[in-house]
Amino acid sequence: ASRAENSQGFRGSVERPKVWSEFDAQPTLAHRVITQLFHEGYLKYWVQQNHDGLPQKAGFPQEFINEIHGAWYDPSNPVVQMSGSLRDDFFSDMMEWEKSADLCLAVGTSLAGMNADRVAQSTALRAIENEAGALGTVIISLQCTKFDSYASLRLFCTIDKAMEMLAD
């Protein structure tokens, strides 16, 4: 970033933040809104590709989340390396949601080939094929994905902006 005063990266005399650990991360507005959607009955389940525990920090119940690639805060679910294998029980659970989800919110993901992408893809395809009750996939992300043309709704914005609009 530039040191120019009008630059986004300019901090002037503002003290730089202290080095922090990823374990100190706090949930965003999006985590809190998605959690509220669950508590109000609009969301049934969360397939989480991140390891950060932010949904749980926002109050999302552990029993309704599948941390498919592992979790920092769950010793029984170690983080899976790219060359590793997913836990059979979590993979089977995700496959069930792939078959049964009526709507998938693909939030902040590149949908670039991880196993969890199949939930978004299959849900979208069921809607395209006019399967009864299938609503499709909503993709919220700043970057294009290979599934954009399949989405029932595609939002190119920050996740927090989308969730702020939803919460209003």
Side-chain angles (χ1 to χ4, degrees), residues 8-74:
Q8 291 287 336
F10 180 74
R11 294 190 181 270
S13 63
V14 175
E15 185 178 330
R16 289 190 164 182
K18 305 282 187 230
V19 176
W20 60 278
S21 163
E22 56 274 358
F23 295 104
D24 296 332
Q26 293 300 307
T28 64
L29 173 67
H31 292 101
R32 294 189 303 272
V33 170
I34 293 170
T35 297
Q36 190 60 37
L37 289 172
F38 172 82
H39 289 300
E40 292 182 14
Y42 296 109
L43 185 74
K44 298 174 186 170
Y45 203 71
W46 190 326
V47 176
Q48 165 80 329
Q49 295 188 88
N50 297 327
H51 320 293
D52 53 24
L54 293 178
Q56 296 91 325
K57 287 182 179 180
F60 202 91
Q62 181 67 45
E63 62 268 23
F64 294 100
I65 191 165
N66 179 333
E67 294 174 294
I68 189 68
H69 298 133
W72 292 337
Y73 297 101
D74 182 357

Side-chain angles (χ1 to χ4, degrees), residues 3 8 18 25 33 35 39 44 50 58 65 69-70 78 82 89-90 93-94 96 99 117 123 130 132 150-151 156:
R3 300 297 267 165
Q8 291 287 336
K18 305 282 187 230
V33 170
T35 297
H39 289 300
K44 298 174 186 170
N50 297 327
I65 191 165
H69 298 133
M82 290 300 286
D89 57 338
F90 285 147
D93 178 70
M94 184 185 68
E96 287 301 314
K99 292 180 214 169
D117 298 356
T123 305
N130 293 314
Y150 299 164
F156 288 95

